[in-house]
Amino acid sequence: MKPTILVSWLDMDRLDRMLDAVPASQVAARDALLEELGRATLAEPQDIPPDVVTMNSRVRFSFDDAEEEVTMTLTYPKDMAGQPDQLSILTPVGTALLGLKVGDTIRWERPDGAMFALTVRGIEYQPESDGKYHR
């Protein structure tokens, strides 16, 4: 069973518009994100707790209970600038992270069919906590 996710209505609106423009080559990624968004609880941006992963959050996470952590910023595809610390929402890891809170673990399927577990370890920056709603 997947953990509950919380998404701001502003992120949901932006993601809906982004999904309308997803190319045919990324239909599987689009469908995975649509499925995830379908189980989201919506909230006002200012009501999102600081421990929830939102779009443009800088997140620390680990895979399969590993000690090593990865830190990346969850990004819209249009904002990908080739930085190694950016993670598109249309990747399996990006889709899995959205809406989770610190301490949550989710099992997710990779494109090759193998499963991985992802655990949110911390949030270094969240736009909503910083009062940045229109980004």
Side-chain angles (χ1 to χ4, degrees):
M1 185 167 169
K2 293 181 178 178
T4 303
I5 63 170
L6 183 64
V7 176
S8 81
W9 66 264
L10 269 175
D11 278 353
M12 181 68 85
D13 183 57
R14 291 178 188 119
L15 289 166
D16 280 342
R17 283 185 274 131
M18 179 210 68
L19 287 169
D20 288 341
V22 169
S25 63
Q26 292 186 304
V27 71
R30 182 201 67 203
D31 290 349
L33 181 55
L34 278 169
E35 183 177 326
E36 193 71 353
L37 292 174
R39 64 184 197 83
T41 300
L42 295 180
E44 292 291 330
Q46 62 271 19
D47 294 337
I48 298 288
D51 65 344
V52 172
V53 179
T54 63
M55 291 304 300
N56 298 307
S57 290
R58 186 160 178 76
V59 186
R60 282 186 299 109
F61 56 95
S62 62
F63 294 102
D64 299 319
D65 296 321
E67 294 285 325
E68 181 181 341
E69 294 180 350
V70 178
T71 302
M72 300 188 89
T73 300
L74 186 59
T75 308
Y76 295 97
K78 70 176 182 61
D79 297 329
M80 295 292 292
Q83 301 297 320
D85 64 343
Q86 290 182 312
L87 178 65
S88 172
I89 185 65
L90 288 177
T91 63
V93 173
T95 297
L97 280 170
L98 183 67
L100 295 179
K101 66 181 186 300
V102 174
D104 281 348
T105 298
I106 189 169
R107 291 192 47 76
W108 203 262
E109 187 174 344
R110 296 188 324 211
D112 65 4
M115 298 297 289
F116 66 88
L118 180 142
T119 301
V120 178
R121 302 292 183 190
I123 297 177
E124 294 185 1
Y125 174 77
Q126 183 207 64
E128 290 78 4
S129 291
D130 201 23
K132 306 247 192 279
Y133 306 118
H134 301 287
R135 60 212 186 279

